[in-house]
C-alpha cells in the first residue's frame, strides 16, 4: 500500500514524516516513524511550493517499497549482504578486491548514509574526499577499482529490489591519481 507521508514545518525547514518497518538485530520487526528534510523555508516559503518535493520523495519511496530491507544503511548492506554474496559467487581474488577496497577506502566515508538515498553527488563527493586524503599516492587504477566496487554494490542492491533507478555510479568522474608503472628516464 502506497503512503502519502505527512508534510510539516519545524525549525525553519519542511519535513516529510512516513512509516517504515525495520528488522532489528534479533530478527524481530518493528515500526519506525522517520522524517526526511525536504527544503528550507527560505527556498520554499509556502506549503504549496514544497508539495511537489514531498510527492517526488514519496513516489521514490513507494516505488522501492517499505520492506524491512529497503531502509538499510549502505554500510550494513555491504557488510551483511553484498560481501557475503561476493564470497559465495566470486573467486577468492575477486571477493578480496571488493572487500579490501570497501574496508580501506570507502566504508568510513558513507557512515550514516542509507542505501536508497544515495545519489551520484554522494559518490562523487566520496571519491573527491578519498582524492583529498590520498592525492597522487594512489594510482588511477585504484580509483577505477573504487568506482567498480561501488557500481557492483548498487547493481546487487537493484537486483534485490532495495534500490530503484539507474546505478548512481554512472557519470561519476574518477580522480586522476598517478600513472601506474615505473618511471622512465
Amino acid at each position: 500500500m502506497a503512503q502519502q507521508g505527512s508534510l510539516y514545518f519545524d525549525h525553519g525547514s519542511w519535513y516529510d514524516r512516513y512509516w517504515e518497518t525495520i528488522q532489528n538485530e534479533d530478527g524481530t520487526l518493528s515500526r519506525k516513524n522517520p522524517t526526511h528534510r525536504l527544503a528550507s523555508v527560505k527556498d520554499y516559503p509556502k506549503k504549496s511550493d514544497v508539495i511537489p518535493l514531498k510527492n517526488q520523495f514519496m513516489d521514490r519511496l513507494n516505488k522501492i517499497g517499505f520492506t524491512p530491507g529497503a531502509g538499510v544503511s549502505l554500510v550494513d548492506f555491504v557488510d551483511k549482504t553484498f560481501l557475503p554474496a561476493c564470497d559465495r559467487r566470486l573467486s577468492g581474488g575477486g571477493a578480496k578486491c571488493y572487500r579490501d577496497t570497501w574496508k580501506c577506502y570507502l566504508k568510513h566515508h558513507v557512515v550514516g548514509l542509507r542505501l536508497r538515498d544515495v545519489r551520484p553527488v554522494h559518490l562523487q563527493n566520496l571519491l573527491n574526499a578519498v582524492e583529498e586524503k590520498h592525492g597522487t599516492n594512489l594510482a588511477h587504477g585504484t580509483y577505477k577499482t573504487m568506482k567498480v566496487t561501488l557500481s557492483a554494490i548498487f547493481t546487487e542492491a537493484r537486483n534485490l529490489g532495495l534500490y530503484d533507478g539507474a546505478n548512481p555510479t554512472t557519470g561519476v568522474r574518477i580522480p586522476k591519481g598517478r600513472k601506474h608503472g615505473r618511471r622512465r628516464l
Side-chain angles (χ1 to χ4, degrees):
M1 185 167 125
Q3 292 189 48
Q4 293 184 9
S6 174
L7 182 64
Y8 69 95
F9 167 78
D10 191 25
H11 289 76
S13 294
W14 293 104
Y15 292 90
D16 188 14
R17 178 175 283 137
Y18 56 96
W19 286 99
E20 72 179 357
T21 305
I22 59 167
Q23 188 167 11
N24 300 322
E25 293 292 326
D26 60 359
T28 61
L29 299 177
S30 62
R31 291 196 69 186
K32 199 174 165 186
N33 196 4
T35 60
H36 175 75
R37 183 182 182 275
L38 296 169
S40 168
V41 174
K42 288 182 182 177
D43 299 332
Y44 294 87
K46 294 190 283 184
K47 187 174 183 175
S48 60
D49 294 339
V50 79
I51 286 176
L53 288 178
K54 178 192 84 82
N55 292 339
Q56 181 183 16
F57 175 72
M58 290 308 298
D59 286 346
R60 188 165 37 105
L61 288 182
N62 287 325
K63 196 180 288 186
I64 295 169
F66 289 93
T67 59
V72 69
S73 73
L74 183 56
V75 173
D76 285 344
F77 173 75
V78 173
D79 289 340
K80 296 177 182 174
T81 306
F82 175 72
L83 291 175
C86 288
D87 290 335
R88 290 188 304 272
R89 189 177 61 244
L90 300 174
S91 67
K96 183 181 183 323
C97 178
Y98 285 147
R99 186 175 304 284
D100 291 348
T101 302
W102 172 251
K103 187 177 83 173
C104 292
Y105 303 112
L106 304 174
K107 184 176 183 176
H108 58 278
H109 288 287
V110 296
V111 172
L113 196 59
R114 286 206 273 181
L115 180 68
R116 69 175 173 211
D117 296 337
V118 175
R119 296 183 10 225
V121 66
H122 297 117
L123 301 181
Q124 186 65 59
N125 290 340
L126 182 150
L127 290 178
N128 292 343
V130 172
E131 182 185 27
E132 283 180 21
K133 182 177 179 182
H134 296 285
T136 57
N137 292 333
L138 295 179
H140 183 69
T142 305
Y143 290 115
K144 286 197 304 190
T145 303
M146 289 180 213
K147 183 175 176 180
V148 166
T149 301
L150 290 168
S151 179
I153 290 167
F154 285 97
T155 299
E156 181 75 13
R158 241 183 30 219
N159 291 344
L160 295 175
L162 301 177
Y163 189 84
D164 193 43
N167 194 321
T169 58
T170 304
V172 172
R173 292 184 315 277
I174 301 172
K176 188 171 182 179
R178 68 173 164 77
K179 291 184 180 178
H180 182 70
R182 301 181 293 195
R183 288 191 173 157
R184 298 182 186 196
L185 299 175

